[in-house]
């Protein structure tokens, strides 16, 4: 984590997700090595990509590379956009039954002709590394131990590292998606925060945001949340990754929070890029390791 960078206007601590994620990946690699030495077990992650969505291709490449760097086996299955639902189900069934595969991730979004919820729930709950299977969603909702979605898990890790105890804090999650908003709100509730979930129909969104000690932005709208929506000293987690055009005809990545103005008010903020993004894949590796251990009834020492 960096302290203030010395510039006059920025007061917020920048939460360095890149460094945090590198540290987490190092810890995971150490545990993977322990598993190899003591149990001759190599965790394996299968990633299934259907179609040629460019952003998905970038993520999948990155996942494969980091899986191998952590000492795990990576199995990539790239299928054409025309793949039938039956063929996709057959592949998932094979992976469910493959003892070398401990984690299965089907990259979303899927092509329109495929029933996404049905595919998500066809992955064995014991091999779900996204935390999207209904059984894992139910566990999170009821407070049972299970697999937690990667982006919210990474966001929570950074929040706890920065703030310590979260109990009693007021938190707002802007966005109600199944991938980020809803599980993030449940995780914060589990930490005994008082949680508001805001969305497109929320009245006086700036006013709601100004009440919050913790603000998690996951709406997918570039720079929507402004500095004057933020309570002074609040901790801001920006989940958004939006590519916008610049005046010179190029493009750049921005979050859902207007970073410049927010950093003048917040106590701490995650940058985009280099904040939540790197934590998502690190948490995917964490979930894969967890499933490999559970499937083999192994408890890993810290
Ligand atoms: N597409 C964008 N984010 C995710 C994710 O976390 N998991 C999967 N499976 N697909 C995604």
């Amino acid at each position: 984590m960096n302290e203030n960078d010395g510039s006059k206007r920025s007061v917020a601590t920048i939460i360095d997700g890149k460094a945090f994620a590198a540290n987490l990946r190092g810890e995971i690699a150490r545990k993977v090595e322990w598993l190899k030495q003591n149990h001759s077990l190599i965790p394996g992650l299968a990633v299934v990509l259907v179609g040629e969505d460019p952003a998905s291709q970038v993520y999948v490449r990155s996942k494969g590379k980091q899986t191998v760097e952590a000492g795990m086996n990576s199995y990539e299955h790239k299928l054409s956009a025309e793949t039938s639902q039956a063929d996709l189900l057959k592949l998932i069934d094979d992976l469910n039954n493959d003892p070398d595969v401990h984690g299965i991730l089907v990259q979303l979004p899927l092509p329109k002709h495929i029933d996404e919820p049905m595919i998500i729930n066809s992955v064995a709950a014991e091999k779900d590394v996204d935390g999207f299977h209904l059984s894992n969603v139910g566990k999170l909702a009821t407070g049972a131990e299970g697999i937690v979605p990667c982006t919210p898990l990474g966001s929570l890790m950074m929040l706890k590292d920065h703030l310590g105890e979260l109990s009693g804090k007021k938190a707002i999650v802007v966005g109600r998606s199944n991938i980020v908003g809803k599980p993030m709100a449940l995780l914060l509730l589990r930490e005994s925060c008082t949680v508001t979930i805001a969305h497109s129909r929320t009245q006086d969104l700036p006013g709601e945001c100004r009440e919050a000690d913790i603000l998690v932005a996951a709406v997918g709208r570039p720079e929507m949340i402004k500095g004057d929506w933020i309570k002074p000293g609040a901790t801001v987690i920006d989940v958004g990754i939006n590519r916008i055009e610049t005046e010179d005809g190029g493009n750049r990545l921005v979050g859902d929070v207007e970073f410049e103005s927010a950093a003048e008010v917040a106590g701490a903020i995650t940058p985009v890029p280099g904040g939540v993004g790197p934590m998502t894949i690190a948490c995917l590796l964490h979930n894969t390791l967890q499933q490999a251990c559970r499937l083999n009834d192994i408890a890993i020492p810290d």
Side-chain angles (χ1 to χ4, degrees), residues 215-217 236-241 254-258 269-272 276:
L215 187 153
V216 180
V236 177
I237 303 289
D238 190 351
V239 177
I241 302 177
V254 298
D256 292 347
V257 178
E258 191 179 73
I269 185 167
T270 59
V272 178
V276 175

Side-chain angles (χ1 to χ4, degrees), residues 8-160:
K8 249 190 351 212
R9 297 174 67 218
S10 171
V11 295
T13 297
I14 310 299
I15 300 176
D16 186 348
K18 207 170 155 189
F20 199 114
N23 200 34
L24 180 57
R25 290 198 305 272
E27 242 176 69
I28 293 165
R30 188 173 54 77
K31 290 177 180 173
V32 169
E33 186 54 33
W34 181 89
L35 268 183
K36 280 184 199 170
Q37 297 297 334
N38 293 276
H39 295 273
S40 304
L41 174 65
I42 305 177
L45 172 64
V47 175
V48 180
L49 174 63
V50 186
E52 281 92 37
D53 178 64
S56 293
Q57 283 177 327
V58 173
Y59 290 137
V60 167
R61 211 172 307 130
S62 204
K63 281 169 190 165
K65 184 166 169 277
Q66 293 188 30
T67 304
V68 171
E69 280 171 6
M72 302 186 191
N73 287 329
S74 167
Y75 308 99
E76 279 182 20
H77 296 268
K78 294 186 177 166
L79 311 179
S80 90
E82 286 77 42
T83 301
S84 71
Q85 185 162 295
D87 284 351
L88 181 56
L89 281 171
K90 169 77 175 76
L91 171 62
I92 293 170
D93 190 48
D94 289 346
L95 295 171
N96 281 340
N97 290 304
D98 184 339
D100 293 333
V101 171
H102 308 97
I104 302 170
L105 179 142
V106 181
Q107 184 69 29
L108 305 179
L110 288 167
K112 293 275 179 289
H113 67 279
I114 292 178
D115 180 348
E116 206 165 87
M118 201 264 268
I119 293 297
I120 287 170
N121 288 298
S122 72
V123 172
E126 300 74 30
K127 295 192 177 186
D128 169 27
V129 281
D130 268 322
F132 295 167
H133 190 286
L134 286 178
S135 144
N136 285 315
V137 175
K139 283 180 179 168
L140 179 59
T142 55
E145 277 265 314
I147 288 291
V148 174
C150 302
T151 301
L153 178 60
S155 301
L156 183 74
M157 284 180 183
M158 289 192 289
L159 274 173
K160 287 173 86 166

